[in-house]
Amino acid sequence: MPGIHIINAHFASPNEVSDFDRKTFEQFLKIITKNAKIISLEKATQMIIDKQTSSGKVFVALTFDDGFEECHSVIAPLLEKYECKGAFFINANFIDSTTEYQNEFNKRVKIFTKKPMSWEQVKDLHNRGHLIGSHNLDHLNMADLNEDELEFQLKENKKILENRLDYNCNYFAWTYGQMQHFSEKALQITNQYHDFVYSGTNYKKYFSMNNKVINRRQIEPFWSKKHINYFLSINKVY
Ligand SMILES: [Zn+2]
């Protein structure tokens, strides 16, 4: 259906990425580009805010959370092959972290074997025109945090990303993405640091939380293509 859809994915494969997974990811891009035009998250966001949805076209923006190494080695090169830009939501403490930290992080996101990108790789994505957004410092569940902890997770992650990349970090996607993981208070504090906030739910509507949150829909590239076709068939509303 005509409209602007934002996909939220994490990786090319839940396991170590094989040639088969690379092909599957490319197939995912082919299915989307057959039905839709892939645009940057910045552009999709602006179009949604401006309510520019009446052109009769299907637009898709692709976002990837958590900053796993394959964002740089697999996903970005294939996006570029199709002349697309992605948005990558990063937890700064995961980048270049110790094995011990990575094991704890992987437990929090329920993954067993994934390594993070290095700072060189994050910088390289940024320099190649992909968007680097914040996903909080340690991938904590923001519903479990008090105000001081929320403040710290948001402020510190933004500060590290901005120092490393020399830019303004205006885009934020909260961890775990459902409404029960994010409160009004969390939104209030987030808005002090970031202009644009994304969920991972309520995808039939463009906005949540009084038009202050833009909704994404989780689709992993290796899921069956009926998911993507179903997702793109939704008539999104304001
Ligand atoms: Zn995440």
Side-chain angles (χ1 to χ4, degrees):
M1 289 291 277
I4 302 151
H5 305 271
I6 304 178
I7 290 178
N8 162 218
H10 295 79
F11 28 67
S13 162
N15 307 304
E16 209 177 313
V17 184
S18 65
D19 280 345
F20 175 80
D21 298 315
R22 285 170 204 267
K23 286 201 186 91
T24 305
F25 188 80
E26 188 161 1
Q27 194 57 35
F28 168 72
L29 293 180
K30 279 185 186 159
I31 293 165
I32 297 173
T33 46
K34 209 174 121 190
N35 298 292
K37 182 170 168 52
I38 299 181
I39 57 176
S40 68
L41 181 67
E42 298 96 307
K43 177 139 195 233
T45 299
Q46 204 51 55
M47 287 172 77
I48 290 169
I49 289 170
D50 295 344
K51 302 200 171 172
Q52 282 178 33
T53 55
S54 57
S55 60
K57 294 200 181 101
V58 189
F59 296 97
V60 174
L62 296 171
T63 72
F64 301 88
D65 290 2
D66 302 353
F68 297 115
E69 200 276 336
E70 66 215 68
C71 290
H72 184 268
S73 57
V74 180
I75 293 171
L78 284 168
L79 289 176
E80 288 163 5
K81 185 174 168 185
Y82 288 80
E83 294 174 1
C84 307
K85 297 280 188 259
F88 298 89
F89 288 97
I90 306 287
N91 311 92
N93 273 354
F94 185 43
I95 307 302
D96 277 337
S97 54
T98 62
T99 309
E100 198 185 350
Y101 183 92
Q102 287 167 25
N103 290 340
E104 289 303 312
F105 184 98
N106 286 339
K107 260 189 237 164
R108 285 200 287 284
V109 300
K110 300 183 179 68
I111 279 288
F112 300 110
T113 55
K114 296 284 178 190
K115 297 253 174 250
M117 283 187 276
S118 65
W119 279 114
E120 285 313 306
Q121 289 173 318
V122 175
K123 273 185 215 167
D124 190 42
L125 287 185
H126 172 70
N127 291 337
R128 281 152 63 176
H130 300 283
L131 179 75
I132 306 297
S134 168
H135 196 41
N136 87 34
L137 185 61
D138 292 296
H139 209 290
L140 301 181
N141 179 349
M142 293 173 76
D144 294 340
L145 306 180
N146 66 32
E147 284 181 34
D148 288 345
E149 292 164 333
L150 283 169
E151 184 94 28
F152 180 74
Q153 285 289 317
L154 290 157
K155 189 177 179 174
E156 200 60 21
N157 203 47
K158 179 182 165 85
K159 191 172 90 188
I160 296 172
L161 287 171
E162 290 186 345
N163 284 343
R164 290 275 184 175
L165 304 179
D166 192 21
Y167 80 134
N168 288 322
C169 180
N170 284 330
Y171 295 76
F172 176 81
W174 78 77
T175 44
Y176 306 102
Q178 304 298 305
M179 297 317 292
Q180 73 262 28
H181 305 123
F182 201 64
S183 62
E184 278 293 338
K185 191 75 220 172
L187 176 62
Q188 230 179 63
I189 298 173
T190 304
N191 278 148
Q192 293 169 23
Y193 297 103
H194 305 285
D195 292 338
F196 308 110
V197 181
Y198 302 86
S199 80
T201 190
N202 283 352
Y203 67 99
K204 294 181 182 178
K205 297 189 78 170
Y206 284 109
F207 290 113
S208 294
M209 300 179 88
N210 282 326
N211 296 348
K212 290 193 171 119
V213 166
I214 295 176
N215 297 319
R216 304 180 297 166
R217 166 73 158 95
Q218 188 187 3
I219 301 260
E220 299 299 340
F222 46 88
W223 287 1
S224 118
K225 80 174 188 188
K226 70 173 192 278
H227 289 286
I228 176 78
N229 286 333
Y230 173 73
F231 168 66
L232 295 178
S233 75
I234 296 299
N235 185 20
K236 286 185 73 168
V237 295
Y238 279 94

